[in-house]
Amino acid sequence: MAGSAYDGVSIRDILLMASGVEWNETYADPTSDCRDLLRAQIEQRPGAAMEVMAALPRAHAPGTHHTYSTGETQVLGEVVHGAVGMPLPDYMAEKIWQPYGMEADANWWLDSPNGLEIGGSGLSATLRDFARFGQFFLEGGVIDGNAILPDEWTETAGLPPELTGGETIHYGYMWWPGWTGPSIADGAYAAIGIQGQNIYINPARNVVSATHMAQPKPLGREPVDPLVVFDAIAAALD
């Protein structure tokens, strides 16, 4: 990524999707950046996805503006892969999946045969194991007394942070902070998939909810706000 718009961007900026790199996430627009990334993934050519990311222009100074970008997760995946020197599924299996006792193997979409993982999509796991992943976060990222995540990571990841310049954004470290009254009061946060997949974590009420869905369109097809449902479940179980 040297010489690209990501040159000089911090890992925290990318975690917050505040790299300042221009991005169009419109799923139904065939000319959008996310569709360019999808075409690169389907091409199954090594390095094609990162070529898309490296060609993007800069729109804002790093750390000053939030733009939701599936492509940022691709960049983060490359960062982790480079840091640990092993495939992401192997690293995740070693650190979390097997030690935490997930019941089934998961599958991860690769950018090419025997290539790198697609950071922003294509992780296929059972519903119970997605819920277990949420439980892992609820328990502070600790397995058998051993901290897997940095101190206070789970407390910070689901909070709305402040960018350079003072703007508070409604996005954490790859998690969405709660936006309903009860979820805000409880400090709840969630992973939200574009077809209705959700992992909801409510630390105040010690509740995790997970759903698998198959909505006919990527956005705007829920008959009711999913967090309203999850808040009600959490309140009923409290």
Side-chain angles (χ1 to χ4, degrees):
M1 305 300 283
S4 76
Y6 281 96
D7 207 342
V9 174
S10 72
I11 294 175
R12 181 179 186 272
D13 291 338
I14 303 174
L15 279 167
L16 297 176
M17 297 193 178
S19 65
V21 176
E22 186 175 295
W23 182 264
N24 180 348
E25 184 76 7
T26 308
Y27 304 114
D29 180 359
T31 67
S32 69
D33 297 313
C34 69
R35 292 288 289 271
D36 285 343
L37 183 62
L38 178 60
R39 281 187 285 270
Q41 295 165 4
I42 293 172
E43 184 182 350
Q44 288 289 282
R45 178 173 57 83
M50 290 301 286
E51 288 175 11
V52 171
M53 301 310 299
L56 297 170
R58 176 166 289 170
H60 306 274
T64 64
H65 181 83
H66 169 76
T67 298
Y68 185 86
S69 168
T70 297
E72 305 274 69
T73 57
Q74 185 69 31
V75 176
L76 283 173
E78 296 280 9
V79 169
V80 175
H81 181 269
V84 302
M86 61 193 301
L88 299 188
D90 294 351
Y91 187 63
M92 188 173 184
E94 175 187 308
K95 296 294 185 180
I96 299 174
W97 213 254
Q98 293 174 359
Y100 200 72
M102 305 305 187
E103 70 178 20
D105 289 342
N107 296 298
W108 208 328
W109 189 10
L110 302 181
D111 70 349
S112 58
N114 300 314
L116 298 176
E117 298 69 33
I118 300 301
S121 62
L123 177 60
S124 177
T126 67
L127 178 59
R128 290 179 187 233
D129 284 342
F130 274 125
R132 287 186 178 95
F133 185 79
Q135 186 70 25
F136 166 73
F137 251 76
L138 181 69
E139 295 175 356
V142 175
I143 302 176
D144 295 331
N146 298 314
I148 308 302
L149 303 178
D151 290 344
E152 300 183 358
W153 182 268
T154 57
E155 289 89 343
T156 303
L159 296 177
E162 186 177 292
L163 299 181
T164 302
E167 179 189 0
T168 298
I169 62 172
H170 193 78
Y171 190 76
Y173 292 158
M174 301 279 111
W175 295 90
W176 293 98
W179 56 82
T180 58
S183 65
I184 293 172
D186 289 346
Y189 54 99
I192 307 291
I194 64 170
Q195 303 292 162
Q197 318 94 306
N198 302 280
I199 302 174
Y200 167 92
I201 301 171
N202 188 316
R205 299 180 187 269
N206 199 34
V207 169
V208 172
S209 295
T211 59
H212 270 175
M213 296 292 179
Q215 293 173 185
K217 293 185 178 181
L219 296 175
R221 296 294 294 185
E222 299 99 335
V224 63
D225 187 330
L227 250 66
V228 172
V229 177
F230 296 138
D231 290 341
I233 292 171
L237 292 174
D238 192 16

